[in-house]
């Protein structure tokens, strides 16, 4: 059953085809226009989506070697995300659904990230734990079964990726901050600065990254720009270490609490090599397996939406033509 | 020739059907914030009631702007999805021409006012030529209270979503204000204009973008 997945929740325009066994294509077009503004500008994101959505979908079909008539369903991100961006994907999906006479399936973006792990590990079976870390989200989710989720913890302020972007701005490395900080950190000392790790209450699986960002800011305020430039490798490494320490420890707490042996990572921050190393090292004594999707499935992509949509359609569930964007859609 | 017209540029959400010769049907609902949720279902329903199979469509007309940015993208997104699945063209129709659709020619001049943001209006000036409304000058963005700037004092229609908000100064004589619902563009006008454009081979570009007029502020 070929499902087209459309994802336009933020600044990536993506389309993919998944047939229940194989991801036949996964086209992602990242909008670079936002770099000039140091962050995603919603109106510009919407403008870019409507401009390139058709060629992106056509390329997804071409690469899959399929025609529109081979599709049996259109899966599309309904939320969470930017309302105007979500609207473009939803409107196009409804048009395709109407013209092809096939159902549209509204998919939760965060659930999509969970499914991205299945695409790289087809044998992955619940129960397992997922840590979603991206520019917009930081959540620990227990997958009791496909379609049955419990949120164990979430960020109380900034998402982890957001903290990378904000610190990236402070260190003047451009947007997005994640890859640039990771690169700087390779040449810096992670113990050069003692930045706070917010573990919150001992039992809590929630996250908080705004204090860390403020600590970096305070450090910079005490000095001039020349000092910042000559120390930023160490600042980047120390900041990154503080983030990945918290992420790894909380994931480990959660796995212990739930008795899980599999921890999956999802979202854009999971491409960070230091994070992967830190978590892999942490789970060794616990005999816990860590799974990561390949980089193209970590960031926002239509493949994960197609996979989630396939699951729902195969279970006989689809959406009506009246589905609307849900910018703060939650699940579980 | 069977054409669908989608109109979501203003606070009216509308869909219409037309051939190159005649009116087939139209649905229009004036309710802010309805568009994203309703337009696809309204399209499906109208096609069914008219007895048209979606696969018979020869093209998908869509109101391309100016108008609400979000509204324009809702309509154009739906049009692109439909057209892609049918392998038929998207036919972008200027929203102001859709407002003027069906208006009797006399007094041969028209001023179309559409709602912009921040208390501004889009103003387009048109004249009747060769049996259709033709743009007299390019579309302006003006403060609502300044809508008559450089407007010739000649008999003319004023129409469009924002026409009701504008005060007509007493020195202007011969102004005919079109009231709702005729002041709003509708799906039928879009479909009829799209049919005409398609017949003439005026399908602008393969994959259109909304006619925003306003460039995004701060762009490099």
């Amino acid at each position: 059953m070929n499902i087209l997945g459309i994802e336009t929740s933020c600044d990536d325009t993506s389309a993919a085809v998944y047939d229940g066994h194989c991801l036949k294509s996964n086209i992602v077009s990242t909008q670079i226009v936002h770099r000039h503004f140091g962050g995603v500008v919603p109106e510009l994101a919407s403008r870019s989506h409507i401009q390139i959505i058709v060629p992106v979908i056509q390329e997804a079909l071409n690469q899959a070697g399929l025609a529109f008539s081979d599709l049996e369903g259109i899966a599309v991100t309904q939320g969470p995300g930017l309302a105007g961006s979500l609207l473009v994907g939803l409107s196009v999906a409804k048009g395709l659904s109407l013209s092809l006479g096939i159902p549209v399936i509204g998919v939760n973006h965060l659930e999509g990230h969970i499914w991205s792990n299945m695409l790289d590990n087809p044998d992955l079976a619940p129960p397992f734990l997922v840590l979603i870390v991206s520019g917009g989200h930081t959540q620990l989710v227990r997958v009791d079964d496909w379609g049955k989720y419990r949120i164990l913890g979430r960020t109380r302020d900034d998402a982890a990726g957001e903290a990378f972007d904000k610190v990236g701005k402070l260190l003047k490395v451009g947007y997005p901050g994640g890859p640039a900080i990771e690169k700087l950190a390779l040449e810096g000392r992670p113990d050069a600065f003692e930045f706070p790790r917010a573990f919150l209450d001992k039992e809590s699986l929630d996250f908080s990254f705004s204090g860390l960002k403020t600590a970096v800011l305070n450090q910079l305020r005490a000095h001039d720009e020349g000092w910042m430039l000559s120390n930023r490798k160490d600042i980047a490494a120390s900041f990154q270490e503080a983030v990945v320490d918290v992420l790894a420890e909380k994931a480990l707490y959660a796995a212990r609490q739930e008795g899980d042996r599999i921890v999956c990572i999802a979202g854009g921050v999971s491409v960070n090599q230091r994070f992967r190393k830190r978590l892999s090292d942490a789970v060794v004594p616990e005999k816990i397996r860590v799974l990561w999707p390949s980089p193209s499935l970590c960031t926002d992509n239509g493949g994960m939406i197609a996979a989630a949509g396939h699951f729902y359609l195969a279970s006989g569930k689809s959406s009506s033509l009246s589905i609307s964007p849900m910018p703060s859609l939650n699940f579980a | 020739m069977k054409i669908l017209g989608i109109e979501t540029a203003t606070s009216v959400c509308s869909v219409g059907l037309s051939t190159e010769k005649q009116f087939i049907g139209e649905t229009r609902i004036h309710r802010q914030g309805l568009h994203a949720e309703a337009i696809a279902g309204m399209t499906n329903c109208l096609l069914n009631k008219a007895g048209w199979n979606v696969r018979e469509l020869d093209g998908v007309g869509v109101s391309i702007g100016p108008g609400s940015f979000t509204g324009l993208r809702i309509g154009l997104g739906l049009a692109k999805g439909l057209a892609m699945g049918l392998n038929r063209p998207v036919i972008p129709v200027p929203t102001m021409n859709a407002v003027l659709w069906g208006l009797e020619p006399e007094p041969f001049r028209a001023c179309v006012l559409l709602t912009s943001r921040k208390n501004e209006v889009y103003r387009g000036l048109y004249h009747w030529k060769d049996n259709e409304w033709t743009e007299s000058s390019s579309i302006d963005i003006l403060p609502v209270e300044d809508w008559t700037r450089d407007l010739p004092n000649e008999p003319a229609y004023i129409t469009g979503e924002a026409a009701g908000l504008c005060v007509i100064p007493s020195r202007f004589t011969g102004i005919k204000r079109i009231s709702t619902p005729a002041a709003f563009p509708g799906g039928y006008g879009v479909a009829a204009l799209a049919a005409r454009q398609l017949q003439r081979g005026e399908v602008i570009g393969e994959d259109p973008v909304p006619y925003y007029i306003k460039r995004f502020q701060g762009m490099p």
Side-chain angles (χ1 to χ4, degrees), chain A residues 43 46 50 87 94 322, chain B residues 36-37 69-70 73 80 214:
Chain A
E43 172 63 19
S46 304
I50 193 79
L87 256 177
K94 289 179 191 181
S322 64
Chain B
E37 174 194 326
F69 296 165
T70 299
R73 286 189 286 261
K80 286 187 180 202
K214 280 186 194 167

Side-chain angles (χ1 to χ4, degrees), chain A residues 13-305:
Chain A
T13 311
S14 180
V17 180
Y18 178 68
D19 70 357
H21 304 283
C22 164
L23 186 59
K24 293 182 165 175
S25 63
N26 196 10
I27 308 298
V28 182
S29 171
T30 299
Q31 305 172 359
I32 55 168
V33 63
H34 306 286
R35 288 183 189 164
H36 173 75
F37 297 91
V40 177
V41 183
E43 172 63 19
L44 283 180
S46 304
R47 288 186 179 201
S48 299
H49 286 307
I50 193 79
Q51 194 172 354
I52 61 161
I53 185 82
V54 168
V56 166
I57 291 173
Q58 271 162 348
E59 184 58 24
L61 281 166
N62 288 349
Q63 262 194 28
L66 296 174
F68 281 108
S69 55
D70 297 320
L71 298 176
E72 289 182 60
I74 313 287
V76 59
T77 308
Q78 190 178 5
L82 299 169
S85 290
L86 292 164
L87 256 177
V88 173
L90 278 163
S91 300
V92 173
K94 289 179 191 181
L96 282 170
S97 161
L98 264 178
S99 57
L100 300 170
I102 57 178
V104 63
I105 309 116
V107 171
N108 182 306
H109 177 82
L110 294 171
E111 187 177 357
H113 275 302
I114 294 173
W115 281 93
S116 66
N117 276 284
M118 186 280 300
L119 290 171
D120 270 345
N121 302 282
D123 299 330
L124 178 65
F128 58 89
L129 192 74
V130 186
L131 174 57
I132 303 169
V133 263
S134 69
H137 310 278
T138 304
Q139 292 202 354
L140 263 167
V141 182
R142 177 61 161 30
V143 180
D144 293 336
D145 199 352
W146 291 119
K148 291 203 175 82
Y149 311 104
R150 271 185 295 134
I151 304 205
L152 304 179
R154 54 161 63 95
T155 184
R156 293 182 185 176
D157 39 60
D158 293 348
E162 198 177 353
F164 271 95
D165 287 339
K166 286 178 175 173
V167 169
K169 222 171 191 171
L170 295 175
L171 298 180
K172 298 194 161 55
V173 294
Y175 174 87
I181 286 179
E182 186 178 358
K183 204 173 153 203
L184 277 181
L186 285 175
E187 296 174 36
R189 287 186 303 126
D191 57 353
F193 296 90
E194 190 57 40
F195 289 130
R197 273 90 170 138
F199 287 101
L200 305 168
D201 324 325
K202 205 176 166 212
E203 303 293 302
S204 175
L205 291 172
D206 281 350
F207 300 88
S208 166
F209 293 105
S210 67
L212 172 58
K213 175 205 65 194
T214 307
V216 174
L217 180 64
N218 289 340
Q219 188 68 246
L220 293 174
R221 275 194 181 139
H223 301 89
D224 62 8
E225 183 159 336
W227 180 89
M228 183 275 279
L229 291 174
S230 50
N231 286 278
R232 67 178 178 179
K233 288 173 181 168
D234 287 342
I235 298 171
S238 303
F239 159 78
Q240 175 176 272
E241 202 61 16
V243 175
V244 303
D245 269 356
V246 174
L247 291 174
E249 288 305 319
K250 294 262 174 180
L252 205 57
Y253 289 163
R256 281 188 200 130
Q257 182 188 302
E258 297 292 325
D260 283 329
R261 289 278 160 260
I262 299 173
V263 177
C264 295
I265 310 299
V269 177
S270 48
V271 298
N272 183 295
Q273 292 300 321
R274 179 58 202 149
F275 173 42
R276 293 188 175 207
K277 178 81 171 54
R278 176 70 179 77
L279 185 57
S280 304
D281 290 348
V283 298
V284 169
E286 312 269 339
K287 293 186 181 133
I288 290 169
R289 225 176 120 209
V290 181
L291 299 177
W292 343 77
S294 50
S296 63
L297 290 169
C298 287
T299 46
D300 293 352
N301 68 92
M304 66 188 199
I305 302 303

Side-chain angles (χ1 to χ4, degrees), chain B residues 31 34 54 88 138:
Chain B
R31 189 177 143 200
L34 173 76
V54 67
R88 292 280 183 264
S138 56

Side-chain angles (χ1 to χ4, degrees), chain B residues 113-123 140-149 161-167 214:
Chain B
L113 300 163
L114 293 174
T115 309
S116 178
R117 292 197 285 195
K118 294 179 196 150
N119 219 29
E120 290 176 329
V121 291
Y122 297 108
R123 187 189 72 179
D140 288 312
I141 301 171
L142 297 168
V144 183
E145 62 278 8
D146 208 14
W147 72 274
T148 57
R149 187 191 294 174
E161 180 178 31
L165 302 172
C166 296
V167 180
K214 280 186 194 167

Side-chain angles (χ1 to χ4, degrees), chain B residues 136-212:
Chain B
S136 311
S137 57
S138 56
I139 294 171
D140 288 312
I141 301 171
L142 297 168
V144 183
E145 62 278 8
D146 208 14
W147 72 274
T148 57
R149 187 191 294 174
D150 304 327
L151 187 72
N153 192 346
E154 290 168 346
Y157 288 114
I158 78 159
T159 182
E161 180 178 31
L165 302 172
C166 296
V167 180
I168 303 174
S170 56
R171 69 175 188 281
F172 282 91
T173 50
I175 298 277
K176 284 167 99 170
R177 196 199 306 257
I178 303 293
S179 54
T180 59
F184 285 100
Y188 165 60
V190 173
L193 284 162
R196 192 167 76 189
Q197 285 174 223
L198 189 61
Q199 229 176 358
R200 291 175 180 171
E202 293 170 2
V203 179
I204 314 144
E206 287 284 296
D207 191 14
V209 291
Y211 183 36
Y212 297 110

